[in-house]
Amino acid sequence: MPAEIEVFDLPFLRAQFPALDQEINGHPLVYLDNAATAQKPWKVLDAVAQFYERDNANVHRGIHELSRRATEEFEDARARIASFMNASEPAEIIWTRGTTEAINLVAGTWALDNVGEGDEILISTMEHHSNIVPWQLVAERTGAKVRYIEMDDQGRLLLDQLSDVLGERTKIVSLAHISNALGTVNPIAEITRRVHDVGALMMIDGAQAGPHRPVDVQELGCDFYAISGHKMCGPTGIGVLWARRELLEEMSPYQGGGEMIRIVERDGSTWAEVPHKFEAGTPNIAGAVGMAAAADFLEEVGFDEIAEHERTVVRYAVEQLSQVPGLRIYGPDSLDERSGVISFTLGDAHPHDISTILDSEGVAVRAGHHCAQLVMRHFGVAATARASFYLYNTTDEVDRLVEALDTVRGIFGA
Amino acid sequence: MNEPTLNSLYQQLILEHYRKPRNRAELPEHTVEIHMYNPVCGDEIRLQLRVDGDRIAEAKFIGQGCSISQAAVSMMTVKLEGATLAEADDLANQFVNLMHGDEAAARDRSLGDLRALQGVSKFPVRIKCALLGFDALQEALKQSRLEAPAH
Ligand SMILES: Cc1ncc(COP(=O)(O)O)c(C=O)c1O
């Protein structure tokens, strides 16, 4: 154990997360699958429970007291997330099921309306499938072409080749702020400037950034930014698309249904105001309330403190893992260029076998392609094991991971 | 306290088949070829059989994936060579029983090396790994029967 700088009261923090306090296969749980989804603190669990226990009703249009309360909490949550992302106003926050739906919304509305035959959509080989497939669907329907920014051997975008793939045919660029498969942190503000120089729009997949760092959409200067509630300690099934109001105003609706209309007539309808135009049907009200509580929670802990703590744990993890014989870490060498994701392989032990063995010692990691098959192909592997860290992880847990990897080496003779 | 289960999962025989798979080769003369892919984990098996009459004359595979999926298919091909289609069916059924924790299947010597995989039944999320090769086999048997009259 290194001398750890206590940036915050870890035992107290961990006690906020009931799911962390359990044994798995006879060992205290070490939860290192945070890039897939984070555990939930009491603050979020209580907010969701209280909504259902006291205030549950459908939102908008209702006259009765519960409906008023539900609407107020739902719209307060929108305002809370607007300030969380530093949007200019709450109306720029569109509730979605998560990052996936947010990207599909932009692909299915703005892109289908504005991208045509011969146009180009630029993404990268680092992307999560949810930031690849929606664009391929647009390309299929419009005759546009999906182009890729490639990566180097450390899993960093080859930005010196950006001008080869970014040009006047490019209509939209969509990139991960942080890679879920490698942990690479992309210089997204700089890329956004270059994208705007050619007159294209910039969408950022913030699924892995929102949980770890303050997102300031105005400072980034992008056009669309997506986050998922569940990766930032909030509930599943809720997320956000942020876009500038002017864009939202001119965009076509996403799905049709209740809530998103102004007047419905036999021959057509008119749309509700932004943001409701994009929110057909009964929304995930409790989810929104829970996501707002998660934003409160993270800001109360403090993003600076979270970042400092995560850096300590990740630095220690990289040091320790680098000493495990046969272990290879993928992604950037420099800690400044990576977040809390460590993707690795160990000798000829398949990542699934690694994960099963770690699980038998209570250590939860993910194994597979991490919804990033192009990343796996880039590194010539079918799968990796991935340990991903969050604010409640400790250096002791890193030790537990390394010990469990010894068991893997024992079995596989690596 | 969990070592026994882990040891029962990762038997030496399994690791040995994983490292030195039997019948891992192309079979250009195959009469049927089935590609099975598990999109969830990326495990992949291409099973090739040369069926002669109602017998499997040769069985080969190409694959990549975890030790369980690759060892299981390697062990399976050993049992398949020379088996009738009906015997291959029985083998597949008995292996599925083994994966469901069936005790009679665990005692069934006709499963050969495949019995080493009985520990997988205690790891529900890994059962699909062990079954990937058998899924391919069942599909191959189905196709072979459909094509049989044409031969
Ligand atoms: C980088 C990245 N993009 C998009 C997604 C999709 O997020 P969700 O499943 O919450 O829609 C994820 C989640 O795995 C992700 O890590």
Side-chain angles (χ1 to χ4, degrees):
Chain A
M1 257 301 293
E4 187 180 315
I5 316 144
E6 281 298 346
V7 285
F8 45 43
D9 186 349
L10 261 181
F12 177 77
L13 184 74
R14 288 180 64 85
Q16 307 297 308
F17 292 82
L20 294 178
D21 181 22
Q22 61 180 308
E23 295 209 335
I24 301 292
N25 295 316
H27 302 272
L29 167 66
V30 174
Y31 186 76
L32 299 179
D33 194 16
N34 294 288
T37 200
Q39 297 303 341
K40 322 302 177 198
W42 283 117
K43 189 176 187 95
V44 169
L45 300 173
D46 288 345
V48 172
Q50 275 184 25
F51 173 79
Y52 282 127
E53 285 167 10
R54 270 191 345 220
D55 308 324
N56 177 54
N58 212 328
V59 288
H60 302 299
R61 298 176 308 275
I63 304 297
H64 61 81
E65 170 62 12
L66 287 192
S67 179
R68 185 197 63 75
R69 274 194 232 156
T71 304
E72 186 173 286
E73 287 183 49
F74 181 63
E75 292 303 328
D76 282 353
R78 192 191 304 277
R80 180 69 193 81
I81 298 299
S83 81
F84 183 74
M85 300 175 79
N86 196 27
S88 329
E89 51 170 323
E92 293 184 340
I93 299 296
I94 315 294
W95 295 114
T96 65
R97 282 190 295 125
T99 301
T100 303
E101 191 177 40
I103 298 171
N104 276 279
L105 193 161
V106 175
T109 62
W110 188 88
L112 282 185
D113 285 344
N114 292 283
V115 175
E117 175 120 34
D119 287 340
E120 293 176 358
I121 297 164
L122 182 62
I123 58 178
S124 85
T125 52
M126 184 192 289
E127 302 311 311
H128 188 280
H129 295 163
S130 65
N131 197 25
I132 299 175
V133 184
W135 306 114
Q136 291 175 334
L137 292 172
V138 170
E140 255 170 45
R141 287 175 64 175
T142 60
K145 187 172 170 202
V146 176
R147 301 194 69 180
Y148 292 88
I149 306 174
E150 304 290 334
M151 288 182 282
D152 67 9
D153 57 3
Q154 287 186 36
R156 298 172 300 189
L157 294 180
L158 284 171
L159 292 177
D160 47 354
Q161 297 176 6
L162 187 58
S163 40
D164 300 343
V165 282
L166 177 69
E168 45 186 56
R169 316 215 94 158
T170 316
K171 284 284 180 282
I172 186 163
V173 179
S174 189
L175 296 173
H177 195 157
I178 296 177
S179 154
N180 68 304
L182 299 165
T184 314
V185 180
N186 291 318
I188 212 76
E190 177 200 325
I191 300 173
T192 299
R193 278 192 294 280
R194 295 182 60 185
V195 167
H196 284 166
D197 283 346
V198 302
L201 294 196
M202 179 74 190
M203 164 141 213
I204 301 173
D205 167 354
Q208 297 294 340
H212 299 279
R213 50 180 63 206
V215 169
D216 185 332
V217 289
Q218 297 190 64
E219 191 182 305
L220 285 170
C222 57
D223 303 289
F224 301 106
Y225 198 103
I227 54 177
S228 293
H230 68 97
K231 293 188 200 280
M232 48 174 269
C233 300
T236 52
I238 190 76
V240 155
L241 170 70
W242 167 85
R244 282 184 291 108
R245 180 187 263 277
E246 313 87 81
L247 270 172
L248 291 171
E249 296 283 1
E250 71 191 33
M251 277 159 60
S252 302
Y254 176 46
Q255 295 177 326
E259 196 75 22
M260 54 76 70
I261 44 81
R262 184 196 307 278
I263 297 165
V264 174
E265 295 188 272
R266 291 169 72 110
D267 301 329
S269 305
T270 51
W271 316 135
E273 294 291 322
V274 167
H276 307 294
K277 175 168 103 177
F278 300 100
E279 295 178 352
T282 300
N284 183 353
I285 309 164
V289 168
M291 186 168 174
D296 282 343
F297 178 84
L298 291 175
E299 289 186 352
E300 279 161 22
V301 178
F303 273 114
D304 287 346
E305 285 74 10
I306 291 173
E308 192 177 338
H309 172 69
E310 286 179 3
R311 213 175 301 127
T312 306
V313 175
V314 172
R315 181 182 302 119
Y316 183 65
V318 169
E319 275 166 22
Q320 295 301 307
L321 290 172
S322 303
Q323 287 168 29
V324 175
L327 190 140
R328 174 174 174 202
I329 296 178
Y330 299 82
D333 288 341
S334 159
L335 287 179
D336 295 334
E337 293 176 287
R338 61 157 66 235
S339 74
V341 170
I342 303 180
S343 234
F344 63 93
T345 51
L346 179 54
D348 74 346
H350 191 280
H352 286 147
D353 295 314
I354 295 175
S355 183
T356 292
I357 295 167
L358 297 192
D359 186 57
S360 76
E361 301 196 5
V363 179
V365 301
R366 187 149 292 249
H369 52 56
H370 317 295
C371 293
Q373 291 183 8
L374 299 186
V375 173
M376 299 298 118
R377 217 157 292 151
H378 176 75
F379 287 102
V381 292
T384 66
R386 180 186 74 184
S388 52
F389 297 86
Y390 205 11
L391 73 170
Y392 38 64
N393 290 120
T394 68
T395 48
D396 285 342
E397 290 182 308
V398 173
D399 292 337
R400 290 271 313 280
L401 167 66
V402 172
E403 277 164 33
L405 288 171
D406 279 343
T407 310
V408 177
R409 293 176 51 236
I411 290 173
F412 278 83
Chain B
M1 67 173 269
N2 293 284
E3 291 311 291
T5 11
L6 208 51
N7 285 341
S8 79
L9 179 64
Y10 290 110
Q11 304 251 326
Q12 275 313 313
L13 201 50
I14 295 176
L15 297 172
E16 208 241 320
H17 273 271
Y18 175 53
R19 294 252 159 72
K20 295 201 204 73
R22 320 293 195 272
N23 298 310
R24 190 167 190 272
E26 290 282 349
L27 178 59
E29 315 81 42
H30 65 262
T31 56
V32 56
E33 174 181 62
I34 302 294
H35 187 191
M36 277 286 162
Y37 176 67
N38 183 342
V40 181
C41 60
D43 282 7
E44 206 169 349
I45 283 166
R46 198 150 48 77
L47 178 69
Q48 298 177 326
L49 303 181
R50 184 164 66 80
V51 177
D52 186 6
D54 75 337
R55 263 184 207 285
I56 298 171
E58 278 182 282
K60 305 264 188 243
F61 80 100
I62 301 288
Q64 55 132 348
C66 66
S67 63
I68 306 298
S69 73
Q70 302 304 304
V73 67
S74 165
M75 293 168 174
M76 179 185 86
T77 56
V78 172
K79 293 298 299 177
L80 287 182
E81 286 196 346
T84 64
L85 298 185
E87 284 164 352
D89 248 338
D90 290 344
L91 182 74
N93 291 333
Q94 189 67 322
F95 187 74
V96 170
N97 292 338
L98 185 75
M99 288 302 100
H100 291 156
D102 184 271
E103 304 221 332
R107 286 192 302 272
D108 183 353
R109 293 172 148 268
S110 74
L111 281 171
D113 286 359
L114 287 163
R115 281 203 301 171
L117 287 159
Q118 63 178 284
V120 177
S121 66
K122 305 213 176 56
F123 291 80
V125 296
R126 300 304 297 278
I127 293 175
K128 65 177 189 326
C129 308
L131 288 177
L132 193 63
F134 281 93
D135 290 343
L137 174 62
Q138 282 173 323
E139 194 54 40
L141 293 175
K142 205 193 295 168
Q143 286 196 13
S144 296
R145 290 208 174 88
L146 286 176
E147 284 163 15
H151 281 287

PDB file of all heavy atoms in Angstrom, chain A residues 35-36 97-101 103 128 130-131 176 178-180 205 207-208 228-231 370-371 386, ligand 1:
ATOM      1  N   ALA A  35     -17.284   1.688 -15.964  1.00  0.00           N
ATOM      2  CA  ALA A  35     -17.504   2.238 -17.301  1.00  0.00           C
ATOM      3  C   ALA A  35     -18.792   1.672 -17.894  1.00  0.00           C
ATOM      4  O   ALA A  35     -19.402   2.282 -18.770  1.00  0.00           O
ATOM      5  CB  ALA A  35     -16.309   1.936 -18.211  1.00  0.00           C
ATOM      6  N   ALA A  36     -19.204   0.509 -17.417  1.00  0.00           N
ATOM      7  CA  ALA A  36     -20.474  -0.063 -17.892  1.00  0.00           C
ATOM      8  C   ALA A  36     -21.632   0.618 -17.179  1.00  0.00           C
ATOM      9  O   ALA A  36     -22.572   1.099 -17.808  1.00  0.00           O
ATOM     10  CB  ALA A  36     -20.504  -1.572 -17.656  1.00  0.00           C
ATOM     11  N   ARG A  97     -33.352   8.132 -23.257  1.00  0.00           N
ATOM     12  CA  ARG A  97     -33.094   6.933 -22.445  1.00  0.00           C
ATOM     13  C   ARG A  97     -31.621   6.851 -22.063  1.00  0.00           C
ATOM     14  O   ARG A  97     -31.241   6.079 -21.202  1.00  0.00           O
ATOM     15  CB  ARG A  97     -33.461   5.664 -23.223  1.00  0.00           C
ATOM     16  CG  ARG A  97     -34.953   5.395 -23.252  1.00  0.00           C
ATOM     17  CD  ARG A  97     -35.218   4.009 -23.812  1.00  0.00           C
ATOM     18  NE  ARG A  97     -34.803   3.906 -25.197  1.00  0.00           N
ATOM     19  CZ  ARG A  97     -33.968   2.990 -25.667  1.00  0.00           C
ATOM     20  NH1 ARG A  97     -33.439   2.090 -24.864  1.00  0.00           N
ATOM     21  NH2 ARG A  97     -33.642   2.976 -26.943  1.00  0.00           N
ATOM     22  N   GLY A  98     -30.802   7.582 -22.757  1.00  0.00           N
ATOM     23  CA  GLY A  98     -29.365   7.519 -22.475  1.00  0.00           C
ATOM     24  C   GLY A  98     -28.602   8.075 -23.653  1.00  0.00           C
ATOM     25  O   GLY A  98     -29.183   8.690 -24.560  1.00  0.00           O
ATOM     26  N   THR A  99     -27.306   7.862 -23.646  1.00  0.00           N
ATOM     27  CA  THR A  99     -26.458   8.356 -24.722  1.00  0.00           C
ATOM     28  C   THR A  99     -26.863   7.765 -26.064  1.00  0.00           C
ATOM     29  O   THR A  99     -26.912   8.458 -27.083  1.00  0.00           O
ATOM     30  CB  THR A  99     -24.986   8.002 -24.416  1.00  0.00           C
ATOM     31  OG1 THR A  99     -24.636   8.608 -23.165  1.00  0.00           O
ATOM     32  CG2 THR A  99     -24.058   8.500 -25.497  1.00  0.00           C
ATOM     33  N   THR A 100     -27.157   6.475 -26.056  1.00  0.00           N
ATOM     34  CA  THR A 100     -27.535   5.805 -27.302  1.00  0.00           C
ATOM     35  C   THR A 100     -28.717   6.500 -27.953  1.00  0.00           C
ATOM     36  O   THR A 100     -28.698   6.814 -29.147  1.00  0.00           O
ATOM     37  CB  THR A 100     -27.906   4.333 -27.018  1.00  0.00           C
ATOM     38  OG1 THR A 100     -26.805   3.701 -26.373  1.00  0.00           O
ATOM     39  CG2 THR A 100     -28.258   3.602 -28.305  1.00  0.00           C
ATOM     40  N   GLU A 101     -29.744   6.756 -27.166  1.00  0.00           N
ATOM     41  CA  GLU A 101     -30.914   7.388 -27.762  1.00  0.00           C
ATOM     42  C   GLU A 101     -30.616   8.829 -28.167  1.00  0.00           C
ATOM     43  O   GLU A 101     -31.141   9.326 -29.172  1.00  0.00           O
ATOM     44  CB  GLU A 101     -32.120   7.350 -26.827  1.00  0.00           C
ATOM     45  CG  GLU A 101     -33.366   7.766 -27.597  1.00  0.00           C
ATOM     46  CD  GLU A 101     -34.651   7.700 -26.787  1.00  0.00           C
ATOM     47  OE1 GLU A 101     -34.623   8.067 -25.594  1.00  0.00           O
ATOM     48  OE2 GLU A 101     -35.675   7.320 -27.358  1.00  0.00           O
ATOM     49  N   ILE A 103     -27.833   9.975 -29.374  1.00  0.00           N
ATOM     50  CA  ILE A 103     -27.143   9.954 -30.670  1.00  0.00           C
ATOM     51  C   ILE A 103     -28.134   9.584 -31.781  1.00  0.00           C
ATOM     52  O   ILE A 103     -28.142  10.193 -32.853  1.00  0.00           O
ATOM     53  CB  ILE A 103     -25.944   8.978 -30.643  1.00  0.00           C
ATOM     54  CG1 ILE A 103     -24.922   9.447 -29.602  1.00  0.00           C
ATOM     55  CG2 ILE A 103     -25.291   8.876 -32.032  1.00  0.00           C
ATOM     56  CD1 ILE A 103     -23.804   8.453 -29.318  1.00  0.00           C
ATOM     57  N   HIS A 128     -17.757   3.802 -29.478  1.00  0.00           N
ATOM     58  CA  HIS A 128     -18.718   2.807 -28.998  1.00  0.00           C
ATOM     59  C   HIS A 128     -19.695   2.536 -30.153  1.00  0.00           C
ATOM     60  O   HIS A 128     -19.981   3.439 -30.943  1.00  0.00           O
ATOM     61  CB  HIS A 128     -19.456   3.436 -27.811  1.00  0.00           C
ATOM     62  CG  HIS A 128     -20.362   2.509 -27.058  1.00  0.00           C
ATOM     63  ND1 HIS A 128     -21.621   2.194 -27.499  1.00  0.00           N
ATOM     64  CD2 HIS A 128     -20.194   1.848 -25.885  1.00  0.00           C
ATOM     65  CE1 HIS A 128     -22.206   1.381 -26.617  1.00  0.00           C
ATOM     66  NE2 HIS A 128     -21.352   1.156 -25.625  1.00  0.00           N
ATOM     67  N   SER A 130     -22.676   2.555 -30.298  1.00  0.00           N
ATOM     68  CA  SER A 130     -23.812   3.482 -30.341  1.00  0.00           C
ATOM     69  C   SER A 130     -23.434   4.796 -31.022  1.00  0.00           C
ATOM     70  O   SER A 130     -24.312   5.591 -31.339  1.00  0.00           O
ATOM     71  CB  SER A 130     -24.334   3.754 -28.930  1.00  0.00           C
ATOM     72  OG  SER A 130     -23.356   4.425 -28.180  1.00  0.00           O
ATOM     73  N   ASN A 131     -22.148   5.013 -31.253  1.00  0.00           N
ATOM     74  CA  ASN A 131     -21.731   6.188 -32.016  1.00  0.00           C
ATOM     75  C   ASN A 131     -21.178   5.784 -33.387  1.00  0.00           C
ATOM     76  O   ASN A 131     -20.465   6.555 -34.021  1.00  0.00           O
ATOM     77  CB  ASN A 131     -20.696   7.008 -31.233  1.00  0.00           C
ATOM     78  CG  ASN A 131     -20.551   8.424 -31.777  1.00  0.00           C
ATOM     79  OD1 ASN A 131     -21.484   8.961 -32.396  1.00  0.00           O
ATOM     80  ND2 ASN A 131     -19.387   9.015 -31.579  1.00  0.00           N
ATOM     81  N   ALA A 176     -16.288  10.413 -29.299  1.00  0.00           N
ATOM     82  CA  ALA A 176     -16.320  10.228 -27.849  1.00  0.00           C
ATOM     83  C   ALA A 176     -15.418  11.261 -27.189  1.00  0.00           C
ATOM     84  O   ALA A 176     -14.318  11.527 -27.667  1.00  0.00           O
ATOM     85  CB  ALA A 176     -15.841   8.825 -27.489  1.00  0.00           C
ATOM     86  N   ILE A 178     -14.422  10.673 -24.077  1.00  0.00           N
ATOM     87  CA  ILE A 178     -13.505   9.694 -23.478  1.00  0.00           C
ATOM     88  C   ILE A 178     -13.915   8.310 -23.971  1.00  0.00           C
ATOM     89  O   ILE A 178     -15.099   7.985 -23.995  1.00  0.00           O
ATOM     90  CB  ILE A 178     -13.586   9.744 -21.934  1.00  0.00           C
ATOM     91  CG1 ILE A 178     -13.104  11.115 -21.426  1.00  0.00           C
ATOM     92  CG2 ILE A 178     -12.774   8.618 -21.308  1.00  0.00           C
ATOM     93  CD1 ILE A 178     -13.218  11.296 -19.929  1.00  0.00           C
ATOM     94  N   SER A 179     -12.921   7.519 -24.357  1.00  0.00           N
ATOM     95  CA  SER A 179     -13.216   6.180 -24.875  1.00  0.00           C
ATOM     96  C   SER A 179     -13.559   5.210 -23.753  1.00  0.00           C
ATOM     97  O   SER A 179     -12.846   5.135 -22.749  1.00  0.00           O
ATOM     98  CB  SER A 179     -11.999   5.654 -25.636  1.00  0.00           C
ATOM     99  OG  SER A 179     -11.988   4.236 -25.624  1.00  0.00           O
ATOM    100  N   ASN A 180     -14.623   4.437 -23.960  1.00  0.00           N
ATOM    101  CA  ASN A 180     -14.995   3.459 -22.943  1.00  0.00           C
ATOM    102  C   ASN A 180     -14.125   2.211 -23.014  1.00  0.00           C
ATOM    103  O   ASN A 180     -14.029   1.470 -22.052  1.00  0.00           O
ATOM    104  CB  ASN A 180     -16.457   3.039 -23.112  1.00  0.00           C
ATOM    105  CG  ASN A 180     -16.671   2.246 -24.375  1.00  0.00           C
ATOM    106  OD1 ASN A 180     -16.355   2.701 -25.467  1.00  0.00           O
ATOM    107  ND2 ASN A 180     -17.176   1.032 -24.246  1.00  0.00           N
ATOM    108  N   ASP A 205     -19.990  12.416 -27.740  1.00  0.00           N
ATOM    109  CA  ASP A 205     -20.511  11.330 -26.928  1.00  0.00           C
ATOM    110  C   ASP A 205     -19.826  11.431 -25.565  1.00  0.00           C
ATOM    111  O   ASP A 205     -18.664  11.064 -25.418  1.00  0.00           O
ATOM    112  CB  ASP A 205     -20.202  10.001 -27.622  1.00  0.00           C
ATOM    113  CG  ASP A 205     -20.407   8.795 -26.719  1.00  0.00           C
ATOM    114  OD1 ASP A 205     -20.681   8.994 -25.521  1.00  0.00           O
ATOM    115  OD2 ASP A 205     -20.285   7.666 -27.215  1.00  0.00           O
ATOM    116  N   ALA A 207     -20.668   9.952 -22.730  1.00  0.00           N
ATOM    117  CA  ALA A 207     -21.081   8.903 -21.781  1.00  0.00           C
ATOM    118  C   ALA A 207     -20.021   8.639 -20.717  1.00  0.00           C
ATOM    119  O   ALA A 207     -20.335   8.418 -19.550  1.00  0.00           O
ATOM    120  CB  ALA A 207     -21.404   7.608 -22.538  1.00  0.00           C
ATOM    121  N   GLN A 208     -18.731   8.684 -21.130  1.00  0.00           N
ATOM    122  CA  GLN A 208     -17.663   8.377 -20.175  1.00  0.00           C
ATOM    123  C   GLN A 208     -17.042   9.639 -19.574  1.00  0.00           C
ATOM    124  O   GLN A 208     -16.150   9.539 -18.730  1.00  0.00           O
ATOM    125  CB  GLN A 208     -16.558   7.551 -20.854  1.00  0.00           C
ATOM    126  CG  GLN A 208     -17.013   6.203 -21.345  1.00  0.00           C
ATOM    127  CD  GLN A 208     -17.421   5.259 -20.212  1.00  0.00           C
ATOM    128  OE1 GLN A 208     -17.040   5.449 -19.053  1.00  0.00           O
ATOM    129  NE2 GLN A 208     -18.215   4.260 -20.543  1.00  0.00           N
ATOM    130  N   SER A 228     -25.272   9.797 -20.185  1.00  0.00           N
ATOM    131  CA  SER A 228     -26.173   8.779 -19.622  1.00  0.00           C
ATOM    132  C   SER A 228     -26.219   8.941 -18.114  1.00  0.00           C
ATOM    133  O   SER A 228     -25.177   9.060 -17.465  1.00  0.00           O
ATOM    134  CB  SER A 228     -25.648   7.369 -19.924  1.00  0.00           C
ATOM    135  OG  SER A 228     -25.701   7.099 -21.298  1.00  0.00           O
ATOM    136  N   GLY A 229     -27.422   8.883 -17.550  1.00  0.00           N
ATOM    137  CA  GLY A 229     -27.553   8.995 -16.103  1.00  0.00           C
ATOM    138  C   GLY A 229     -26.867   7.865 -15.344  1.00  0.00           C
ATOM    139  O   GLY A 229     -26.215   8.076 -14.327  1.00  0.00           O
ATOM    140  N   HIS A 230     -27.002   6.652 -15.871  1.00  0.00           N
ATOM    141  CA  HIS A 230     -26.573   5.489 -15.074  1.00  0.00           C
ATOM    142  C   HIS A 230     -25.069   5.391 -14.901  1.00  0.00           C
ATOM    143  O   HIS A 230     -24.596   4.704 -14.004  1.00  0.00           O
ATOM    144  CB  HIS A 230     -27.114   4.197 -15.704  1.00  0.00           C
ATOM    145  CG  HIS A 230     -26.510   3.844 -17.028  1.00  0.00           C
ATOM    146  ND1 HIS A 230     -25.487   2.950 -17.122  1.00  0.00           N
ATOM    147  CD2 HIS A 230     -26.776   4.261 -18.285  1.00  0.00           C
ATOM    148  CE1 HIS A 230     -25.154   2.821 -18.411  1.00  0.00           C
ATOM    149  NE2 HIS A 230     -25.921   3.619 -19.130  1.00  0.00           N
ATOM    150  N   LYS A 231     -24.310   6.059 -15.752  1.00  0.00           N
ATOM    151  CA  LYS A 231     -22.853   5.989 -15.605  1.00  0.00           C
ATOM    152  C   LYS A 231     -22.336   7.028 -14.617  1.00  0.00           C
ATOM    153  O   LYS A 231     -21.167   7.040 -14.273  1.00  0.00           O
ATOM    154  CB  LYS A 231     -22.176   6.168 -16.963  1.00  0.00           C
ATOM    155  CG  LYS A 231     -22.460   5.002 -17.917  1.00  0.00           C
ATOM    156  CD  LYS A 231     -21.628   5.105 -19.157  1.00  0.00           C
ATOM    157  CE  LYS A 231     -22.193   4.295 -20.301  1.00  0.00           C
ATOM    158  NZ  LYS A 231     -21.861   2.871 -20.204  1.00  0.00           N
ATOM    159  N   HIS A 370     -16.463  -4.709 -25.419  1.00  0.00           N
ATOM    160  CA  HIS A 370     -16.863  -3.421 -24.847  1.00  0.00           C
ATOM    161  C   HIS A 370     -17.623  -2.558 -25.861  1.00  0.00           C
ATOM    162  O   HIS A 370     -17.498  -1.331 -25.867  1.00  0.00           O
ATOM    163  CB  HIS A 370     -15.656  -2.662 -24.288  1.00  0.00           C
ATOM    164  CG  HIS A 370     -14.733  -3.562 -23.512  1.00  0.00           C
ATOM    165  ND1 HIS A 370     -15.121  -4.174 -22.358  1.00  0.00           N
ATOM    166  CD2 HIS A 370     -13.477  -3.988 -23.773  1.00  0.00           C
ATOM    167  CE1 HIS A 370     -14.135  -4.942 -21.920  1.00  0.00           C
ATOM    168  NE2 HIS A 370     -13.130  -4.847 -22.763  1.00  0.00           N
ATOM    169  N   CYS A 371     -18.415  -3.215 -26.708  1.00  0.00           N
ATOM    170  CA  CYS A 371     -19.179  -2.486 -27.732  1.00  0.00           C
ATOM    171  C   CYS A 371     -18.257  -1.613 -28.564  1.00  0.00           C
ATOM    172  O   CYS A 371     -18.642  -0.511 -28.978  1.00  0.00           O
ATOM    173  CB  CYS A 371     -20.283  -1.634 -27.113  1.00  0.00           C
ATOM    174  SG  CYS A 371     -21.578  -2.613 -26.353  1.00  0.00           S
ATOM    175  N   ARG A 386     -11.418  -5.448 -18.773  1.00  0.00           N
ATOM    176  CA  ARG A 386     -11.404  -4.005 -18.520  1.00  0.00           C
ATOM    177  C   ARG A 386     -11.753  -3.732 -17.062  1.00  0.00           C
ATOM    178  O   ARG A 386     -12.821  -4.105 -16.594  1.00  0.00           O
ATOM    179  CB  ARG A 386     -12.424  -3.318 -19.422  1.00  0.00           C
ATOM    180  CG  ARG A 386     -12.491  -1.808 -19.233  1.00  0.00           C
ATOM    181  CD  ARG A 386     -13.603  -1.177 -20.045  1.00  0.00           C
ATOM    182  NE  ARG A 386     -14.908  -1.461 -19.466  1.00  0.00           N
ATOM    183  CZ  ARG A 386     -16.076  -1.095 -20.008  1.00  0.00           C
ATOM    184  NH1 ARG A 386     -16.094  -0.471 -21.177  1.00  0.00           N
ATOM    185  NH2 ARG A 386     -17.213  -1.376 -19.412  1.00  0.00           N
TER     186      ARG A 386
HETATM  187  C1  LIG C   1     -18.484   5.913 -24.889  1.00  0.00           C
HETATM  188  C2  LIG C   1     -19.885   5.405 -24.782  1.00  0.00           C
HETATM  189  N1  LIG C   1     -20.809   5.827 -25.645  1.00  0.00           N
HETATM  190  C3  LIG C   1     -22.083   5.424 -25.573  1.00  0.00           C
HETATM  191  C4  LIG C   1     -22.503   4.527 -24.634  1.00  0.00           C
HETATM  192  C5  LIG C   1     -23.928   4.105 -24.606  1.00  0.00           C
HETATM  193  O1  LIG C   1     -24.532   4.534 -23.451  1.00  0.00           O
HETATM  194  P1  LIG C   1     -25.954   4.017 -23.025  1.00  0.00           P
HETATM  195  O2  LIG C   1     -25.875   2.516 -23.060  1.00  0.00           O
HETATM  196  O3  LIG C   1     -26.135   4.530 -21.646  1.00  0.00           O
HETATM  197  O4  LIG C   1     -26.946   4.534 -23.986  1.00  0.00           O
HETATM  198  C6  LIG C   1     -21.586   4.041 -23.718  1.00  0.00           C
HETATM  199  C7  LIG C   1     -21.992   3.048 -22.711  1.00  0.00           C
HETATM  200  O5  LIG C   1     -21.518   1.958 -22.643  1.00  0.00           O
HETATM  201  C8  LIG C   1     -20.248   4.498 -23.792  1.00  0.00           C
HETATM  202  O6  LIG C   1     -19.336   4.060 -22.917  1.00  0.00           O
END
